[in-house]
Every structure is written in structure tokens, then in C-alpha cells.
Amino acid sequence: MADEQAVPGPISIGSVTYYQHLTHWYPDGNAVFLVEDTVIPVYRGIINRRSSVLRAVLEAPDEIGAHPLDDNLTEFSLFLDAIMPQTCSKPRIPTDKEEWRSLIGLIRVAPKYEVEDIATRAVEVLEEMLPTIQRPDQNTDVYGDPEAAVDVVNFARHCHLPQFLRSGFCALATQEWADYSIIADPLNRLTSEDRMRAQQGSVRLQSEVISIAFGRWENCKGCHYHTTCRDDKDCWGGWGDGAWPRGDDEIRWKSLLWHPLDELKKRAEMPKHRYMCTACRDEFVAANQRMRADLINKLPTFFSLGDDEAAIHGGG
């Protein structure tokens, strides 16, 4: 196993200085990989059994006593974690939701070396972490900033995993872009086609929100409560402080336009207001839940996936 007590130090190979890998350092290894500025001695037998691609690399002529790879060090380290775990108790594949970026790195590198069992399992775990076509409402908080959504869209394109695309586009369409300068705009890391899809989807989504929500009593100042209210004396319904304090009207509407799925969920979970009768409260909750479900069902019409659309529907 790796000598985790070893102090990393510079190692000269040819005329280049490298450093020991902090985890995968096997002094008795009989093959050596070079990844970025790091030297990684490994066991040839384990590598040969797990990857025919790396076996071919190791069989190639070795002029400097090591085999350079053009991988990202973090991603290759995750790959080694999966095929050469350090302990029996340490998971081979990250399973904490906060580690979804690590899984993306693993999914990028495992197919390259034809270790399909690792790639398949990593995708299955990632489908439990990120929103997907099948579960658009799952763990949406992973998209805390536009960078995360851009990372997912680019990853899903690169690895041909369209189940993650639509939720990534939806996240991009509901971000507060005023906080980002044009130069630092994360959308610049997308292809021009995907930038257009995110922007078009945002317009379509907001248009749909306006069409289904604008006439609702809670969204219209001065609009009376719904017609089924049976308490026209003590229930304020849509008047004054109906569903929330009057001063919150503007921020609630803005949140509905920019973050419709999150806002509608919050509204349905709001505690009963003292000036709203039970009938109005029930109608308010049911209507917001229904609007949210309708928007989720219509997401496919807002965001086109381009070449990956056929894969969603079982095409080529």
C-alpha cells in the first residue's frame, strides 16, 4: 500500500523535476506514470488487469523510466482511488452530495481508460446527486452559482450524458446575472449554441411564469382573494398583508420571475398567515403546487438540447 508517511520531495526524471503523489506513492511499484508535475509509481499487475488502455501505455517503449499521461492530476487521482483504494472502509467512489464535482472528474477519465464498471457506477451515483430529466426537483441547491451549472452542462456534453443537461440549463436561466461582469460571465465557457439555448430558455420560462401567475390574487396588488373564500369579513386574502407582508410584494414577484421553481416551493410551504382563512390558504397552496408541477412538466419545451435531444427520447 501507499506509504502515507513519506514526505513529498522533488524527484528528477530526465531533466524535469517532479513531486511524489500524496496518496498513491508505492515505493515498490514496478511501473511509473507522470501526470502534470507528479510522479506515481504503481503496480503493473493491478493496472494491467483493470485497464487495457493503460496496459498498452506500459508496454510502449520507456525512454525516461516513466510514462507521461496527459490527464488532469485530480481526475487521475480519483481514478486511482477507484481501482487502487487505500483501505477497505474508504469508498472507492465519492458518495457525498458535496463531492459531485469529484464524480464528474472520475466519469471523465474512467471511460478514457475503458474501465466501464467504474464509469457506470459513478454515473449512477451522480444521478442521485444532481437534478436529472427524471428527477428535476432533486438537490437543486447544488446549483448555488452559475459556475456550477456551466460545469455540469459542459461535462454532460463532453461525456454524452444528456440526463443532466436540462436541469443545468434551467439553473443558468434562473441565475442573478447582475452579479457578474461581462468579462467574468460564466456563460463564456459554454459554446455559442448552448449560450443561446440558456438565454432562449430563460425568456420562454419567464413568459410562461407571467402567463400562469400574473392574474393570481397574491401577485396582483389590490386584487381580491379567490372567489371561493367564505370569510369576506375577517379574511384579507389578496388585500394588504394577505399571503405575506405588503412590503414583500416586489421581492416575491422578482423571485417568482427569476427563481420560479424555488419560489413556488417556498410559497407552498409558507406558514399560514394570520389574515388568511383556511379556504384561502388551501387554495393558495394548491395553486402554487400546481403551477410548479406544470412548469416542471414543461421544462422540455423551454430548453432544447440540440444533438443530445434524440438520446433523451431513445433515439440514436
Side-chain angles (χ1 to χ4, degrees), residues 131-208:
T132 64
I133 293 288
Q134 296 77 18
R135 302 174 183 175
D137 203 27
Q138 171 181 262
N139 298 332
T140 55
D141 58 331
V142 299
Y143 295 125
D145 58 74
E147 296 284 356
V150 169
D151 286 343
V152 169
V153 169
N154 283 336
F155 150 75
R157 288 291 195 205
H158 176 79
C159 295
H160 305 291
L161 296 171
Q163 64 265 44
F164 301 108
L165 278 174
R166 198 158 276 139
S167 62
F169 281 129
C170 183
L172 289 173
T174 55
Q175 293 288 349
E176 295 284 6
W177 294 106
D179 296 336
Y180 292 83
S181 68
I182 294 178
I183 296 177
D185 189 343
L187 280 177
N188 290 333
R189 295 198 290 113
L190 294 175
T191 65
S192 58
E193 291 84 1
D194 280 344
R195 286 201 301 272
M196 180 181 66
R197 290 186 180 101
Q199 292 163 350
Q200 289 177 333
S202 177
V203 172
R204 292 168 183 154
L205 179 59
Q206 285 194 7
S207 177
E208 182 67 18

Side-chain angles (χ1 to χ4, degrees), residues 136 166 170 205 261 294-304:
R166 198 158 276 139
C170 183
L205 179 59
L261 298 184
D294 288 344
L295 287 177
I296 289 176
N297 288 334
K298 291 179 179 178
L299 284 180
T301 68
F302 302 147
F303 302 99
S304 167

Side-chain angles (χ1 to χ4, degrees), residues 35-276:
V35 182
E36 295 183 0
D37 64 348
T38 301
V39 58
I40 309 173
V42 295
Y43 300 110
R44 185 183 295 265
I46 295 177
I47 297 299
N48 287 349
R49 285 195 299 271
R50 296 299 277 129
S51 171
S52 60
V53 176
L54 286 176
R55 179 172 66 240
V57 171
L58 294 177
E59 290 173 351
D62 174 6
E63 297 180 357
I64 60 174
H67 299 270
L69 301 175
D70 61 354
D71 294 290
N72 172 280
L73 178 60
T74 299
E75 294 180 356
F76 191 74
S77 297
L78 291 167
F79 174 70
L80 290 180
D81 287 345
I83 66 174
M84 303 177 69
Q86 299 302 291
T87 69
C88 293
S89 61
K90 180 181 178 181
R92 293 185 174 189
I93 296 176
T95 55
D96 292 337
K97 184 181 72 173
E98 293 75 16
E99 296 183 284
W100 64 268
R101 276 191 168 90
S102 295
L103 269 180
I104 282 179
L106 182 56
I107 294 168
R108 284 181 184 274
V109 72
K112 173 181 177 180
Y113 293 119
E114 298 182 358
V115 186
E116 297 302 332
D117 60 321
I118 296 297
T120 299
R121 179 55 185 154
V123 170
E124 291 173 350
V125 174
L126 190 64
E127 288 175 339
E128 300 294 324
M129 294 182 179
L130 297 181
T132 64
I133 293 288
Q134 296 77 18
R135 302 174 183 175
D137 203 27
Q138 171 181 262
N139 298 332
T140 55
D141 58 331
V142 299
Y143 295 125
D145 58 74
E147 296 284 356
V150 169
D151 286 343
V152 169
V153 169
N154 283 336
F155 150 75
R157 288 291 195 205
H158 176 79
C159 295
H160 305 291
L161 296 171
Q163 64 265 44
F164 301 108
L165 278 174
R166 198 158 276 139
S167 62
F169 281 129
C170 183
L172 289 173
T174 55
Q175 293 288 349
E176 295 284 6
W177 294 106
D179 296 336
Y180 292 83
S181 68
I182 294 178
I183 296 177
D185 189 343
L187 280 177
N188 290 333
R189 295 198 290 113
L190 294 175
T191 65
S192 58
E193 291 84 1
D194 280 344
R195 286 201 301 272
M196 180 181 66
R197 290 186 180 101
Q199 292 163 350
Q200 289 177 333
S202 177
V203 172
R204 292 168 183 154
L205 179 59
Q206 285 194 7
S207 177
E208 182 67 18
V209 169
I210 291 172
S211 69
I212 66 176
F214 185 74
R216 289 281 310 167
W217 60 264
E218 66 267 25
N219 299 319
C220 299
K221 293 182 179 179
C223 180
H224 202 266
Y225 43 76
H226 67 103
T227 57
T228 60
C229 178
R230 298 182 179 84
D231 190 355
D232 58 2
K233 181 181 296 185
D234 297 319
C235 177
W236 288 30
W239 297 97
D241 292 346
W244 46 73
R246 181 182 303 175
D248 289 350
D249 283 344
E250 183 176 348
I251 192 172
R252 293 265 70 87
W253 179 249
K254 179 181 178 182
S255 181
L256 182 61
L257 286 180
W258 277 106
H259 315 285
L261 298 184
D262 291 339
E263 174 65 15
L264 289 170
K265 182 178 182 180
K266 290 177 182 177
R267 292 186 180 195
E269 296 173 351
M270 283 181 177
K272 183 179 181 297
H273 199 281
R274 59 177 176 169
Y275 295 123
M276 189 187 297

